[in-house]
Structure formats: structure tokens, C-alpha cells
Amino acid sequence: MRLDLRPILHVPGASLPFDFTLDLSGLDFYGERPFAHPVRITGAVRNMADALLLEGSAETTLELVCDRCLKPFRQEMHLPVSTLLAETLEDEENDEIVLLDNGEVDLDEVFTTAAVLNMDAKHVCSEDCKGLCPTCGADLNEGSCGCKPERDPRFAALAQLLDKENE
Ligand SMILES: [Zn+2]
Ligand SMILES: [Zn+2]
């Protein structure tokens, strides 16, 4: 959605609210499409006398796959977004400011960029997820699989450290 800011461009104190849904279902992250549900975008652009301030949030439920146990899981996303807008850039190097196009701001672009930058590279269904057995592939969250006794994870970490030092 594009928001026409011309009604507030020269009116200090004025603001324009926005509230719409964004379809990001086509966004691909390493073969996964976490934005399966519409993203609700709300907020407002406010004329702060010498600056235009956009403040809003993007909310949705992400459909993710756990990197450890490979199970799909859902995670709520509440992403606050705040950025300055300007009709022209005084400093060409400043990429923190979003430039208006004919007095309009491209909200789709602002919030799509924010959502992409916010995505973690790694996802785990829970910090306690035990993952899969490297030997038989069983989900260790559902109990031990009967492969050779697991090493105490503290010793496993120590062994890894020692292995590294020996390289
Ligand atoms: Zn997991
Ligand atoms: Zn196993």
C-alpha cells in the first residue's frame, strides 16, 4: 500500500494513520515460506514540524521449521518499525531515511524490508529442543532412542573444545 502524505506534508502536528494487511507469503527463506499468514500492519506517519516520523508495527504468526528436530512450529511476530521520511535527501549517504515518491510513502516496501531484516537465520521450536539422534534420526524430545548411551552434554562440549585445540 502507498500512503499519500501530501495532506500532512506542510501541517506540523498532523498525522495520518494506516492499517492494512500485507501478503508476504511468496517470500522464500532458504526454501521455507514463514509468512504463510497475512501480516497486519498498523501505525501512523506524524509531521514533527521538521521531520516526518513513521511509527508502526507488523504482526503475524510465522510458520517455521525447527533447525534441530525439523518439526514445524508457529511463532508470533510483533515487529515495531520506526523510521524517518523525507521528500529529498540532504545527505545522499543517509540510508536510514526513506525517500518519498511524489509525496507518497511505499508502506509495502518499508514493512517488507523490516520483516526480512528481522528474520533470524536459525529457528528452534524451544531452547530446550534436544534435536534428532545423529545415529538413527529419532526425535530425542520424545525420549531416548536406544542408541549407545548419550554422553553427558557437558563432557561433549569439553570434548569438542579439546578437538578444536588439537587441530
Ligand atoms: Zn525442535
Ligand atoms: Zn538413535
Side-chain angles (χ1 to χ4, degrees):
M1 167 181 161
R2 297 172 67 87
L3 186 64
D4 185 355
L5 296 177
R6 281 172 296 187
I8 68 162
L9 268 185
H10 305 290
V11 189
S15 71
L16 269 183
F18 51 81
D19 184 340
F20 65 104
T21 54
L22 190 54
D23 178 8
L24 298 182
S25 57
L27 280 185
D28 192 294
F29 292 83
Y30 307 105
E32 287 170 29
R33 300 197 171 199
F35 291 96
H37 308 282
V39 183
R40 173 97 186 270
I41 308 291
T42 54
V45 178
R46 194 160 283 113
N47 184 325
M48 312 284 285
D50 54 355
L52 287 168
L53 177 66
L54 180 157
E55 282 184 309
S57 69
E59 304 194 18
T60 191
T61 303
L62 298 171
E63 297 283 346
L64 301 168
V65 174
C66 178
D67 287 324
R68 288 187 203 156
C69 69
L70 306 181
K71 273 211 194 91
F73 67 103
R74 291 180 168 185
Q75 192 176 71
E76 297 303 314
M77 183 189 89
H78 301 281
L79 174 63
V81 173
S82 173
T83 185
L84 288 171
L85 311 175
E87 288 186 275
T88 54
L89 280 189
E90 287 168 24
D91 177 1
E92 299 275 318
E93 297 293 301
N94 195 336
D95 54 7
E96 309 259 298
I97 295 179
V98 175
L99 211 51
L100 300 185
D101 176 22
N102 283 324
E104 295 184 339
V105 57
D106 187 343
L107 293 176
D108 289 358
E109 191 182 317
V110 169
F111 283 93
T112 301
T113 304
V116 168
L117 293 178
N118 180 58
M119 282 298 283
D120 294 321
K122 291 255 164 217
H123 305 108
V124 284
C125 63
S126 141
E127 286 304 319
D128 304 325
C129 177
K130 295 185 178 73
L132 303 178
C133 168
T135 307
C136 72
D139 186 345
L140 298 176
N141 297 309
E142 288 166 8
S144 179
C145 54
C147 292
K148 69 177 161 57
E150 287 175 64
R151 277 198 287 185
D152 185 312
R154 284 168 298 177
F155 289 122
L158 187 64
Q160 268 186 356
L161 275 176
L162 291 173
D163 280 348
K164 272 189 192 137
E165 280 179 5
N166 288 338
E167 272 171 13

